[in-house]
Amino acid sequence: MTTTERKTRVDLARKAPAVYKAMIALDAAARQGLDPELVELVLTRCSQVNHCAWCIDMHTADARKIGVSEQKLFLLNAWEEAHGLYTEKERAAFALAESITVLTDGFVPDSVYEEAAEYFEEAELAQLISLVLTINAWNRIAVSTRKTPKVR
């Protein structure tokens, strides 16, 4: 099977329904108490880092539905250079999300964690970390089961 012919090889919802239901519950729990726009931006950014086309497609569509601007979505992969577009809180969330997502560089740097802690109350920070953990699991599920976005 070529890359362009790839199809989902395993339907997790059907073949591992308890895991799938647990992931749905985890996803819902991780979003609680967080701004919906921030949620979709973080989910999209982690999915970009993980090269998960299916999740990028889904979360950019969801972001548009709640009013996230096209400019914020188009420049998300260059958020560090897009000064003035994202709030300091969003930028701290992106830095933390990327650090958690890419652990091959080592641990989450103290400076990144401390900056996020400046903008997020402790409970909100716990939710943000949970959100990042959850999308990383979803990205791995989607990539490993060969999910691809539908061409529109």
Side-chain angles (χ1 to χ4, degrees):
M1 185 177 310
T2 67
T3 306
T4 56
E5 297 170 342
R6 290 192 326 182
K7 295 186 181 191
T8 302
R9 293 193 179 145
V10 175
D11 183 344
L12 197 76
R14 288 186 183 170
K15 300 301 179 183
V19 173
Y20 186 78
K21 287 177 186 174
M23 284 297 301
I24 295 292
L26 181 62
D27 187 78
R31 294 168 182 256
Q32 291 178 3
L34 293 173
D35 173 65
E37 182 171 326
L38 179 70
V39 166
E40 294 306 330
L41 289 170
V42 167
L43 296 177
T44 301
R45 183 63 195 129
C46 290
S47 298
Q48 289 173 335
V49 171
N50 286 323
H51 303 275
C52 183
W54 192 81
C55 292
I56 294 168
D57 185 58
M58 178 177 62
H59 292 297
T60 55
D62 290 349
R64 286 183 185 102
K65 286 178 190 171
I66 62 168
V68 177
S69 74
E70 293 290 316
Q71 187 179 30
K72 275 190 163 184
L73 291 173
F74 289 138
L75 293 175
L76 187 56
N77 64 347
W79 67 268
E80 291 174 295
E81 290 79 27
H83 298 286
L85 181 59
Y86 303 100
T87 67
E88 291 302 314
K89 185 174 184 174
E90 289 169 335
R91 295 171 67 79
F94 301 154
L96 182 63
E98 288 181 10
S99 293
I100 294 168
T101 298
V102 184
L103 289 176
T104 55
D105 295 336
F107 296 103
V108 174
D110 289 341
S111 61
V112 170
Y113 184 87
E114 290 165 7
E115 183 175 357
E118 286 181 31
Y119 294 99
F120 294 89
E121 297 291 327
E122 192 172 346
E124 192 179 24
L125 185 57
Q127 289 300 127
L128 177 60
I129 291 167
S130 299
L131 183 73
V132 174
L133 299 173
T134 304
I135 190 58
N136 275 281
W138 279 124
N139 290 161
R140 281 148 180 80
I141 290 167
V143 169
S144 65
T145 60
R146 311 296 195 262
K147 291 185 82 64
T148 56
K150 292 180 182 171
V151 178
R152 296 188 269 282

